[in-house]
Amino acid sequence: MVQSNTRQRSPSQELSHIDKKPRLDVETDAQSQASHNAPLTDEPMKAGESSTPKQNPDQKKPAQGQKQKKNSKRKKVKHALPDLCSPEDVISRDVFALLGEETVQKAVEEGLDWNSPFKQKDEVELVVSEMCSSGDSLSIAPAPHPPWIVLTPLALPGEKIRVRIYYNSRLYSRADLLEVVKPNPTLRDMNRVKCKYFGECGGCQYQMLSYETQLDLKQNVVVKAYKNFSGLPGSSVPTVQSTIGSPLQYGYRTKITPHFEVRPKDIKAKDSIEPGTKPDWLRIGFNKVNTKFVMDIEECPIAAPVINEAYGPLREKIVENIFTYKRGVSLLLRESLELSPTSVSTTTDTLPKADSDITMDTLSKDMEKKVCITNHKGTVRERVGDFLFEYGASSFFQNNNSVLVPLTSYVRDAIFPPSSSTPSDPSGSASSNLNPTHLVDAYCGSGLFAITLSPYFQTIAGIELSTESIKAAKRNAELNNLPSGKCSFLEGDASNIFTTVQSFPRSETVLIIDPPRRGSDEKFVDQMIDFGCSVVVYVSCNVHTQARDVGMILRKSQEKMKEKGKEYVLESLRGFDLFPQTAHVESVAVLRLIDSPRPVDVTQS
């Protein structure tokens, strides 16, 4: 969707929106540090300066033990290493790779890995080396600085940029982009940008890039994730296939959550603002780049059209009632098919009951009007191919409807590859592991994979922690007229799912895993390997935790299934672009159980 109020840019104005007011000019150093969890002690010390903070003369001197404990705690925070697969860990791996192993090792041995050559607010010109998995750029600090990396948003490889440092970490610093001094004309085209807030709003990173370039960058993120986090040799990781793009690159997002803060404490009287106007202190929108400060945003080009249509009137209503709010609010706007009066729930704690008089034919004809749901307790209806889904407005469901058919079709074709016969039909004609008959859907949510794949399996079992999601999954099975008893949805921990499917034939069972960002865990992997289903499809919104888990699965299968002569192999790996214009990529990994290669007896050779 192209905004009607997007201004045409002259060549001299193309980069003007990036020359934004630096974040450090609108917040104090203390606020900056707090918003990024950055201890002030990360700032390099001046010559002769003590590492012990100055004590307030009016403050009582702590006892010796207390002082040592406090200093020890401060030192621990300063040098704390990031958790495995955390965003900071992902950045660190890219930083170390760019610097090189020898350089990193030398800095660690000399105790210089936390000794930044920059202070806060230092300005420096850099040449961008490459892109980080986070979507930011990585630049090597120029001589005479020691080997050090600067992480900057909205810059591209080969560009000369001017930045301002605001945070120092281990072997790298974060910086605000002040100016693109020399752009990369091959990659950057500001005429592609369709949002007047791009460069200030933290929501999108890639609007200046061609869509082909965006997909290439996301493919590389998957490649690096498996190199950095799987612990697998290169021979065990197949070539990462090209990223499957979204049919819609704008106007695709079916859910947004803009927010606003309560009025400042010094604003008390309602008559302090002119009726019908929005006060300057009221900002309704999303966070600025690299900050927690809300910026006022009137529309979002990546959001579905019906959402933008509802967002304007909702903003006006907030302005009218701003003095009734006691605290800040996170709004919800979600695209939905319009529900018919006969299926609208009259309660707020349950989903509507299935209406036996409503058929799929009438639904497909009468329910296609798009509406925007703004009630957190409301019900959303969505069509994915030939299937309908209903779920609570606050529940999880993928936020790009246009890519769900390609995604679920890809998963189906991965389970039933072209080399096999046609997918097993509900009559149960298939009997080999090439044509599985049973499906286990772990982390099933509202039943997306279980229900869209239901035509190809005899029996399906789904499990999910969320009570509301299980209610929705059962409702969706009814809504799509699935035979009674074909699908069972149980509330519980995914790690215990295999106790409920012991009757499933192992060689004819497929497992789909679609966990939250933190990924799965060792308990689940152990039970999965003990069960030994023929195919595992791991769908992930965090390719880094997926790589970690897939590596664990392959290693444990070699150890635990040795006696059975079986092991899992990673058959294919591919990214999906559910969020165009952003750095985010989803990933689908397909694992298949095969006969283990027999070890060569070197004594007989």
Side-chain angles (χ1 to χ4, degrees), residues 194-207:
K194 296 186 179 181
C195 179
K196 64 182 179 181
Y197 305 108
F198 180 70
E200 293 183 272
C201 172
C204 294
Q205 297 81 43
Y206 289 164
Q207 288 193 26

Side-chain angles (χ1 to χ4, degrees), residues 212-517:
E212 292 75 16
T213 299
Q214 294 184 37
L215 296 180
D216 289 343
L217 288 173
K218 296 183 184 192
Q219 181 183 15
N220 194 43
V221 170
V222 180
V223 171
K224 290 194 294 183
Y226 274 78
K227 180 179 180 181
N228 293 335
F229 294 100
S230 71
L232 296 171
S235 58
S236 296
V237 181
T239 300
V240 177
Q241 300 176 61
S242 58
T243 307
I244 292 183
S246 169
L248 295 176
Q249 287 96 58
Y250 282 92
Y252 66 83
R253 192 174 176 99
T254 55
K255 174 188 174 184
I256 64 171
T257 54
H259 50 281
F260 63 93
E261 301 297 334
V262 72
R263 68 183 187 276
K265 293 181 179 180
D266 58 342
I267 305 294
K268 298 180 188 278
K270 187 171 182 179
D271 59 3
S272 61
I273 62 173
E274 186 177 340
T277 62
K278 186 175 73 64
D280 293 338
W281 48 263
L282 176 57
R283 294 180 294 273
I284 309 168
F286 306 100
N287 290 354
K288 292 185 178 182
V289 176
N290 285 337
T291 79
K292 295 182 180 180
F293 292 92
V294 182
M295 63 177 296
D296 199 48
I297 293 179
E298 296 175 343
E299 62 180 329
C300 178
I302 66 172
V306 70
I307 289 179
N308 277 313
E309 291 171 9
Y311 184 39
L314 183 58
R315 283 171 52 90
E316 293 176 2
K317 187 175 295 185
I318 291 169
V319 173
E320 293 175 4
N321 298 284
I322 188 59
F323 286 94
T324 65
Y325 294 98
K326 303 300 182 183
R327 61 178 184 271
V329 175
S330 181
L331 306 172
L332 173 69
L333 294 94
R334 202 155 196 171
E335 180 188 79
S336 172
L337 295 177
E338 187 176 40
L339 280 79
S340 66
T342 56
S343 64
V344 174
S345 174
T346 57
T347 64
T348 57
D349 58 345
T350 60
L351 288 164
K353 295 181 179 180
D355 190 332
S356 59
D357 294 331
I358 299 179
T359 66
M360 289 297 296
D361 289 337
T362 58
L363 284 172
S364 62
K365 294 177 182 178
D366 301 334
M367 307 301 291
E368 296 298 334
K369 181 181 177 182
K370 300 288 182 66
V371 295
C372 182
I373 303 298
T374 58
N375 184 348
H376 287 72
K377 295 183 179 181
T379 299
V380 175
R381 173 172 279 172
E382 191 161 342
R383 179 181 293 279
V384 179
D386 294 330
F387 299 93
L388 285 168
F389 293 87
E390 287 184 1
Y391 50 89
S394 296
S395 300
F396 171 79
F397 203 85
Q398 296 289 2
N399 296 332
N400 181 350
N401 179 275
S402 74
V403 80
L404 293 186
V405 169
L407 174 62
T408 54
S409 298
Y410 176 85
V411 171
R412 177 201 63 205
D413 294 342
I415 295 169
F416 305 100
S419 58
S420 71
S421 57
T422 57
S424 58
D425 59 60
S427 65
S429 60
S431 58
S432 72
N433 62 352
L434 289 178
N435 288 301
T437 57
H438 289 62
L439 174 64
V440 178
D441 187 1
Y443 313 94
C444 68
S446 301
L448 174 64
F449 288 106
I451 290 172
T452 56
L453 295 175
S454 61
Y456 312 107
F457 292 92
Q458 295 177 21
T459 308
I460 299 168
I463 195 164
E464 171 64 48
L465 273 174
S466 167
T467 301
E468 290 305 313
S469 291
I470 288 297
K471 288 180 182 178
K474 291 178 177 179
R475 157 66 171 157
N476 291 330
E478 296 178 10
L479 187 63
N480 290 282
N481 297 321
L482 298 190
S484 177
K486 180 169 186 173
C487 291
S488 62
F489 294 103
L490 301 174
E491 179 185 350
D493 190 332
S495 62
N496 297 320
I497 188 174
F498 300 104
T499 61
T500 68
V501 293
Q502 288 300 311
S503 62
F504 282 25
R506 276 34 172 195
S507 63
E508 297 171 16
T509 298
V510 172
L511 169 67
I512 293 181
I513 313 172
D514 188 9
R517 291 190 62 81

Side-chain angles (χ1 to χ4, degrees), residues 226 407-417 436 439-443 449 453 457 509-515 524 528 533-540 546 550 553 568-572 574 576 587-593:
Y226 274 78
L407 174 62
T408 54
S409 298
Y410 176 85
V411 171
R412 177 201 63 205
D413 294 342
I415 295 169
F416 305 100
L439 174 64
V440 178
D441 187 1
Y443 313 94
F449 288 106
L453 295 175
F457 292 92
T509 298
V510 172
L511 169 67
I512 293 181
I513 313 172
D514 188 9
F524 175 84
M528 184 201 87
C533 51
S534 63
V535 180
V536 178
V537 180
Y538 192 145
V539 182
S540 178
Q546 182 197 61
V550 168
I553 292 170
Y568 283 107
V569 295
L570 180 55
E571 184 174 83
S572 63
R574 191 164 207 168
F576 276 77
S587 179
V588 178
V590 180
L591 296 87
R592 199 171 293 272
L593 190 63

Side-chain angles (χ1 to χ4, degrees), residues 1-9 13-18 154 156 187-201 204-211 214 249-250 301-302 581:
M1 180 184 68
V2 181
Q3 289 180 312
S4 59
N5 61 348
T6 301
R7 297 188 297 270
Q8 295 293 322
R9 298 177 175 86
Q13 294 174 323
E14 282 189 344
L15 301 174
S16 62
H17 75 289
I18 290 182
L154 303 167
L156 302 173
L187 294 178
R188 183 183 292 274
D189 183 353
M190 299 307 293
N191 289 319
R192 296 190 181 107
V193 175
K194 296 186 179 181
C195 179
K196 64 182 179 181
Y197 305 108
F198 180 70
E200 293 183 272
C201 172
C204 294
Q205 297 81 43
Y206 289 164
Q207 288 193 26
M208 70 292 211
L209 296 172
S210 70
Y211 194 50
Q214 294 184 37
Q249 287 96 58
Y250 282 92
I302 66 172
Q581 318 309 329

